[in-house]
Amino acid sequence: MDVASWLLIAVLVVGLASLIGFFCTKTKGFGRFATSTFLILVVVIIAALFFAAGKLDLSLMANIFFAVIGFAGGLFTGKDNES
């Protein structure tokens, strides 16, 4: 196996470990926070796999991470407008 294959395997293992950790530590049910966190994890894992495979440029990867950071910032600072 070459270095690129090992890199893809490493990214996949770290991504799967983070998903397993997410499901082991979350409470029952999928609320707004759990769904958004799951979506962020999936987007980052898929983008990292594409980047490690050489399918994404560095500038596109940076834009994905800026979008994820903005989404996460809105998630944590968002207010519930429930009456």
Side-chain angles (χ1 to χ4, degrees):
M1 287 189 154
D2 59 342
V3 176
S5 298
W6 284 109
L7 178 63
L8 284 170
I9 291 169
V11 169
L12 182 64
V13 167
V14 169
L16 289 176
S18 65
L19 283 176
I20 290 169
F22 169 76
F23 284 112
C24 288
T25 59
K26 83 175 212 49
T27 58
K28 290 188 176 191
F30 264 90
R32 179 177 152 236
F33 180 76
T35 305
S36 299
T37 304
F38 179 70
L39 177 66
I40 289 172
L41 279 174
V42 169
V43 167
V44 169
I45 292 167
I46 290 173
L49 283 172
F50 280 141
F51 182 71
K55 303 296 181 190
L56 287 179
D57 293 336
L58 183 60
S59 62
L60 185 59
M61 189 67 177
N63 287 338
I64 290 170
F65 277 129
F66 282 131
V68 165
I69 290 169
F71 184 78
L75 174 67
F76 291 122
T77 61
K79 296 185 167 89
D80 289 331
N81 292 332
E82 297 178 10
S83 300

